Structure formats: structure tokens, C-alpha cells
Amino acid sequence: MLDGKKTIFSGMQATGNLTLGNYLGALTNWVDLADDYNCYYCVVDEHAITVRQDPTALRQNARKVLMIYIAAGLDPEKCCIYYQSHVSAHAELGWILGCYTYMGELSRMTQFKDKSAKHADNINAGLFTYPVLMAADILLYQSDLVPVGSDQKQHLELARDIAIRFNNIYGDVFTIPEGYIPKAGARIMSLQDPTKKMSKSDENENATIHILDKPDDIIRKFKRAVTDSVGIIQYTDDQPGIRNLIDIYTACTGKTVDETVREFDGKGYGDFKMAVGEVVVDKLAPIQARYDELAKDKAYVDSIIKNNAEKASYFANKTLRKVQKKIGYPERIR
Ligand code: TRP
């Protein structure tokens, strides 16, 4: 605990373009939590290379994600926003923790099974040990709380198990982190297949709204959003498309589901889709404006990158040194 505040750690992959789902489901939460916690928000470029990346694209995407964190409202003077690869302690602790993690545990991870099915030509060891590096990310900062999507729950459980196992052998080295999983409504689904999560890697470009999408594209994608033939705007499991649009509308406006259903009572799907598109455009406009400013101010963004990497390294190395001492690495001679 620092300044009497608990610590939060979370991260997003440095791949693809962040989506409306990343924004409403994760980033807005991060912003809300930032006042009350000491926060580390990492751009996880090391996890990104578990699937093959184009080097130029990876570098550009990583910077984009970092700027979107700031544009979305995270104050980089207060929150430590940084690249995972700039803090070598992540990889070092990852190695150590790998020696306290069982093959059997990693084999049970559903994300590993899914990703190895998807990338059958590149089932590399990093894909398998991905959750160990994620545990290192979290445990390095003695994190109390870890906001993640429900798809990361299993990885978080594993991080807790590793921490508990380590503490049982060596004493209280790690804080045992708690997950912070947003409620169901915050899960934004694909506009083309509302039974699937909105994904930045969807092949159908109409399925996903990106945070940096132009207003016209946003409206067009909402116009084409898949609904149903019921014809009534109501919030039910039987109408996942409409339910998803209601979720997006309420998340952007702060209105309740009931208010929204009443507001559009008797209206057609076309009008409703337009209205949802418009509130999304309005919601993203200030973020896009701030992003454009940041993109023009290279020196400022560079200074954030440098200062925060130093800040994160300082804290991470404290934990790393403690771990190294506990397990019996030779002392450093100064
Ligand atoms: N695996 C996470 C995801 O894909 C990203 C991540 C990496 C992360 N390390 C983390 C999230 C540590 C929370 C804490 O969403």
C-alpha cells in the first residue's frame, strides 16, 4: 500500500485497434478507479508476441494503445501508464514464477486451448506460459485489485494460486490479488453476431466499432447492426442484438435500461440504431480529439513513456530483488 491507497494493475494487448468494447467494458472502469487507487496500466507488448506480429505494426499499435489510455481520461501523471517491455523485471519474474507453475495448470487454460486451435502453425512455448508472465505483471506491483474481462478470470485465479504457493514456501512476499470483473452489461458484443464478444481481430469490419473510428463509419456500422424479426425494443436474452444496442446506449448515456426501453417504445429498429450510433459518436468525440492532440505532441508522450517506465521499474525491482533473495540467488556486489 502506497499513500494509504491500494494498488491496481491491469493491461491490454498492444495489438489491433482498441474497440468500443475495450472502452466501455474496461477503460471507463479504469478511469473510475483511478482516483481511489494507486494504478499501473500497462501496454502488454510482451504478451503480444505470443502470436506473430509485424514489427512496425506492433510498435505503432503499442503507442496507439498508450495514447488511447491517456485520451480516455487516465492522467499519466497519476497513473503509471507504460510499456511492459520497458520494465525488464516482468520477464525476469516471469522466468522465476514459471518454475513455480505446473504444466498441468497451464494445460487447463482455455485461452491456450483456443489460441492453439486458432494458430495451429505456431503453438509456441510463450503461448503456453502466457499466464505466468501475466502473474508476474500483477505480482510485481503487489497489486490488490485487477480489473479484467471475464475471459481473463482463469488467468487471474492462476496468478493467485502461484502467489499463494510462493508465499507458503517463502513467507509473505506477494500480495494476493483480487479480480474485479465488470458486470454483464459492460460486455459489449459484436454488431454482426451479438452472441460473440466484440473483438478487435474480427474479420468482418462491420462487427466492431474502434475507438478511433470516424463518425460516418460508426453510424454506418450501427445501421448495419444485426437485430431480429421481433420488432419490439425490449431487453431480453431472446433478442441479443437489441439487448447489446441497449447496453451500448445505456453505457454511453448513463440512462437505465428501463428509461431506454420507455424512450424507444413504439419506435422502429432503424431509428433506434441511428440513436445508438449518435450517442457513440458523441461519447468518442472528445477522446478522439484528445488523441489527435497527443499524436501531435511527440515530446510530451515520449516524456510520459520515459518517466513512467522509470517509476514502474523502481517499484517492480523492489519486489524482484526480494524474490531473488528469498529463492537464493547470489547477492549483488555493489
Ligand atoms: N491477458 C490480458 C488480456 O488479454 C492482458 C494482460 C496481461 C493483463 N497482463 C495482465 C490484464 C495483467 C490484467 C493484469 O486481456
Side-chain angles (χ1 to χ4, degrees):
M1 229 191 261
L2 214 67
D3 314 330
K5 283 185 180 172
K6 290 188 170 185
T7 298
I8 284 192
F9 186 96
S10 198
M12 284 185 200
Q13 292 242 19
T15 52
N17 278 323
L18 294 189
T19 70
L20 181 67
N22 296 125
Y23 177 64
L24 295 175
L27 282 172
T28 52
N29 264 324
W30 293 10
V31 174
D32 288 346
L33 293 164
D35 280 340
D36 301 325
Y37 291 83
N38 175 34
C39 301
Y40 292 88
Y41 293 130
C42 185
V43 177
V44 296
D45 47 1
E46 292 178 325
H47 281 104
I49 64 163
T50 54
V51 298
R52 203 64 79 225
Q53 301 290 339
D54 172 69
T56 306
L58 178 59
R59 204 171 359 255
Q60 285 172 349
N61 283 328
R63 195 170 172 106
K64 242 191 207 173
V65 172
L66 187 127
M67 290 196 290
I68 288 178
Y69 283 3
I70 303 170
L74 295 170
D75 178 352
E77 311 282 342
K78 290 197 196 132
C79 308
C80 192
I81 291 176
Y82 71 104
Y83 296 126
Q84 189 183 29
S85 65
H86 285 191
V87 180
S88 56
H90 288 250
E92 292 178 78
L93 184 64
W95 169 258
I96 296 171
L97 296 182
C99 301
Y100 297 81
T101 309
Y102 298 110
M103 299 287 285
E105 291 176 305
L106 293 174
S107 320
R108 283 194 290 276
M109 296 293 123
T110 53
Q111 184 176 291
F112 172 68
K113 293 187 218 170
D114 293 347
K115 285 200 181 169
S116 25
K118 211 167 145 196
H119 304 277
D121 55 339
N122 183 19
I123 306 178
N124 60 70
L127 199 59
F128 190 64
T129 58
Y130 180 112
V132 179
L133 181 60
M134 180 161 158
D137 297 342
I138 297 166
L139 300 179
L140 270 178
Y141 300 92
Q142 306 292 354
S143 312
D144 298 282
L145 201 65
V146 183
V148 281
S150 50
D151 61 321
Q152 297 297 313
K153 207 171 154 188
Q154 203 185 20
H155 291 165
L156 188 72
E157 282 301 318
L158 181 63
R160 287 170 54 92
D161 290 345
I162 297 170
I164 293 169
R165 180 173 306 146
F166 198 94
N167 284 357
N168 281 338
I169 308 174
Y170 301 104
D172 276 343
V173 177
F174 294 125
T175 301
I176 310 301
E178 297 286 337
Y180 180 93
I181 316 252
K183 51 185 187 329
R187 196 173 141 91
I188 305 303
M189 311 308 273
S190 154
L191 298 185
Q192 290 295 314
D193 176 359
T195 61
K196 243 176 44 186
K197 193 175 139 181
M198 183 178 281
S199 155
K200 44 188 170 182
S201 54
D202 205 307
E203 276 137 34
N204 184 342
E205 66 153 281
N206 288 320
T208 307
I209 304 288
H210 298 286
I211 295 177
L212 301 178
D213 275 352
K214 299 215 164 34
D216 288 352
D217 293 329
I218 296 175
I219 298 290
R220 178 178 41 82
K221 290 179 189 180
F222 275 104
K223 274 188 186 159
R224 293 185 187 169
V226 167
T227 49
D228 53 64
S229 54
V230 178
I232 303 168
I233 295 165
Q234 54 190 354
Y235 196 76
T236 116
D237 289 349
D238 301 331
Q239 292 173 252
I242 291 295
R243 193 187 52 191
N244 188 39
L245 293 175
I246 296 176
D247 280 334
I248 294 172
Y249 190 80
T250 56
C252 289
T253 57
K255 292 178 184 168
T256 65
V257 169
D258 284 347
E259 281 164 355
T260 305
V261 169
R262 244 177 287 133
E263 183 178 344
F264 291 96
D265 183 33
K267 299 250 166 66
Y269 285 177
D271 289 347
F272 182 48
K273 287 190 206 178
M274 244 344 247
V276 181
E278 278 163 11
V279 296
V280 170
V281 168
D282 288 348
K283 192 77 184 173
L284 295 180
I287 301 169
Q288 297 182 349
R290 178 86 184 102
Y291 180 91
D292 290 341
E293 279 171 29
L294 289 167
K296 282 186 211 130
D297 198 347
K298 181 168 186 305
Y300 171 71
V301 176
D302 284 350
S303 75
I304 295 296
I305 290 172
K306 180 163 181 285
N307 293 342
N308 280 333
E310 279 166 14
K311 203 168 124 190
S313 294
Y314 175 78
F315 197 86
N317 279 318
K318 280 215 274 200
T319 302
L320 181 66
R321 298 290 170 253
K322 195 165 161 190
V323 168
Q324 289 173 329
K325 194 167 165 195
K326 290 281 186 186
I327 61 177
Y329 279 7
E331 247 174 82
R332 281 162 193 259
I333 315 294
R334 313 217 226 174

